[in-house]
Amino acid sequence: EGTDLSERVQLMMMGANKLDGCPRNPLQNVNYVSCHDNYTLFDQLNYILSDDGGKTEPNIETVAKASASVNGMVLMSNAISFINGGEELFRTKIEDNPEAKDEYCATMYGKRISHNSYKSSDFTNAYDYSRKADLLTYFNMYKDLVSLKKNLIYSSEIVVKDDNGIYHSGNEAYVVKNGTHGTQVAVTRSAKNGKKYHICLNGRNSESKFYAPGEVKFTNYGTALKPSSSGFDVNSPYTLVIIEE
């Protein structure tokens, strides 16, 4: 319940749905971007990432990359992470029943996509594991992110934001910057191995420079990153980078 988008993102990453009410304990909060109702994350992204308002379908790997970024932030948040079944397979729910109600479907790129499939067939609801094979690189990103999640330390201490607009939770910091061309998210989390994770997310059309020395533990950037004290440029959209220091 933040006052703006950036504050709501910060609170989500902290595992707090509000500062002045319960629950503050991150283990009493569940973060997610998709569930059994409504569109799958892939179908939602496949529509909104079109460059011309949903007329031309985006590249499937662009959508898979964005999916890993979005759920990557859910997994890196200081709360319980929930991922809808099949999101790691980039599940799409194509409706094969021509009699399915229009109110339960939307037409995207010549296909009827269901957002309310409780009466749909197995064709619509089943997991298509061929998508895992086709997008194996991005499936493995989900695996890597889950492994990193297991090494994070939860912090239940929530402090109001400082004079720079940055929220702090224990020894961790959360900041979101809404730029003209997109959003950058920077989060520092404590890890069980005594290290720090610097989690950097670049928005859709942003060009960002992040400052985080250490070892790259995860990236969906597509090229090797060599961070240093002078920072590194991220000029690709939907990019998530996690540095261990």
Side-chain angles (χ1 to χ4, degrees), residues 107-239:
T107 300
M108 301 181 190
Y109 317 114
K111 297 170 286 188
R112 296 184 79 210
I113 305 297
S114 177
H115 59 83
N116 192 356
S117 60
Y118 77 105
K119 287 187 176 180
S120 299
S121 68
D122 287 346
F123 176 89
T124 300
N125 285 315
Y127 296 177
D128 181 358
Y129 285 90
S130 69
R131 293 176 71 81
K132 172 185 173 181
D134 294 340
L135 297 165
L136 185 60
T137 296
Y138 301 95
F139 169 84
N140 285 333
M141 289 179 185
Y142 270 84
K143 289 178 59 178
D144 293 340
L145 287 163
V146 170
S147 295
L148 290 172
K149 171 77 172 183
K150 293 178 179 179
N151 195 36
L152 289 174
I153 296 175
Y154 286 103
S155 174
S156 60
E157 178 187 358
I158 295 176
V159 183
V160 296
K161 59 185 175 182
D162 62 23
D163 293 338
N164 295 316
I166 300 174
Y167 274 112
H168 294 268
S169 177
N171 295 318
E172 302 163 8
Y174 306 78
V175 61
V176 179
K177 295 181 179 179
N178 292 318
T180 303
H181 302 292
T183 301
Q184 300 87 44
V185 180
V187 178
T188 298
R189 296 286 314 274
S190 300
K192 295 176 183 177
N193 59 3
K195 303 283 189 176
K196 292 285 188 181
Y197 283 170
H198 302 293
I199 302 149
C200 309
L201 175 69
N202 193 45
R204 180 176 184 182
N205 297 314
S206 303
E207 294 184 4
S208 306
K209 179 180 282 291
F210 294 107
Y211 298 88
E215 177 187 356
V216 176
K217 301 298 290 185
F218 174 87
T219 179
N220 65 348
Y221 192 63
T223 58
L225 291 172
K226 297 180 180 180
S228 67
S229 58
S230 61
F232 57 93
D233 293 312
V234 178
N235 298 320
S236 176
Y238 331 120
T239 296

Side-chain angles (χ1 to χ4, degrees), residues 11-12 14-18 22-32 77-82 154 158:
L11 292 174
M12 182 276 290
M14 293 173 67
N17 58 13
K18 60 177 70 175
C22 66
R24 291 193 177 194
N25 185 340
L27 294 180
Q28 294 178 344
N29 282 277
V30 179
N31 286 337
Y32 64 92
S77 67
N78 186 40
I80 296 170
S81 301
F82 171 86
Y154 286 103
I158 295 176

Side-chain angles (χ1 to χ4, degrees), residues 46-98:
N46 198 38
Y47 179 78
I48 65 174
L49 296 185
S50 171
D51 290 329
D52 55 10
K55 297 178 182 178
T56 304
E57 191 167 10
N59 181 280
I60 191 171
E61 293 198 3
T62 298
V63 182
K65 177 184 177 184
S67 175
S69 290
V70 171
N71 267 323
M73 294 306 289
V74 170
L75 286 164
M76 292 299 102
S77 67
N78 186 40
I80 296 170
S81 301
F82 171 86
I83 295 179
N84 190 23
E87 297 294 15
E88 76 282 10
L89 307 175
F90 313 99
R91 182 184 177 198
T92 180
K93 294 200 296 184
I94 300 173
E95 181 58 69
D96 67 331
N97 182 3

